[in-house]
Amino acid sequence: MSSALNVVALIGSPTSSANSRTLLLVRQLLDQLRHRLHIDVQLVELSPIARSLGQALTREEVEPRIEQALQRIEAADLLIAAAPVYRGSYPGLFKHLVDFIGLEALVDVPVLLAATGGSERHALVIDHQLRPLFSFLQAHTLPIGVYATSADFSGDQVSSAALQARIVLAAERAAAHLSLTAAPLPLRRIA
């Protein structure tokens, strides 16, 4: 039996909430990935470390729990990066944490992007904000991202069939990508 893939989910909400839509979206993605892959999941939540993170100007200044979070992110076989939209982009403390990730730590690491916002007007945050951020780190951002609005949830459940279908599609594509990278196809020789 092969070992479990190390999936790290970075929840970029600077404030904590038991029914955070960003956290709920990530849980749905993780549930779908569990149906398709043998995974070990670690959550890295921004909210418990946000205040102390904001006081650090360099990685050398971060508290041990922030360093542990960074090491978890850097060791991921698959990173799920999810953030709420705040004033048209991801929160500043989310970016501050990403700034401390080693420049070559995520090279070719698959990253599944997700975001939540108040309306559909911010749906492009995935392609215009998150994708360039992780592309700069030379991560492999997966082509299917997942964006959700308040209207897609009812309490702590996804109530939108369209969002559920998008979650399933994202998980299927991520699993297919990881299956290919785990057992690469032999190179074809051309005369």
Side-chain angles (χ1 to χ4, degrees), residues 6 8-11 42-46 49 52-54 56-79 93-106 109 134 137:
N6 180 26
V8 177
L10 171 57
I11 316 300
Q42 297 181 64
L43 290 181
V44 174
E45 294 188 66
L46 181 60
I49 61 173
S52 57
L53 173 66
L57 297 178
T58 66
R59 185 161 176 171
E60 291 73 30
E61 297 176 1
V62 301
E63 292 181 357
R65 63 186 177 151
I66 298 171
E67 179 60 35
Q68 290 173 341
L70 289 164
Q71 289 177 10
R72 284 187 192 122
I73 292 166
E74 293 172 344
D77 295 322
L78 168 66
L79 177 64
L93 285 171
F94 174 82
K95 172 66 163 69
H96 193 53
L97 180 65
V98 172
D99 283 343
F100 290 147
I101 295 172
L103 281 177
E104 296 183 358
L106 295 181
V109 172
F134 287 96
L137 294 172

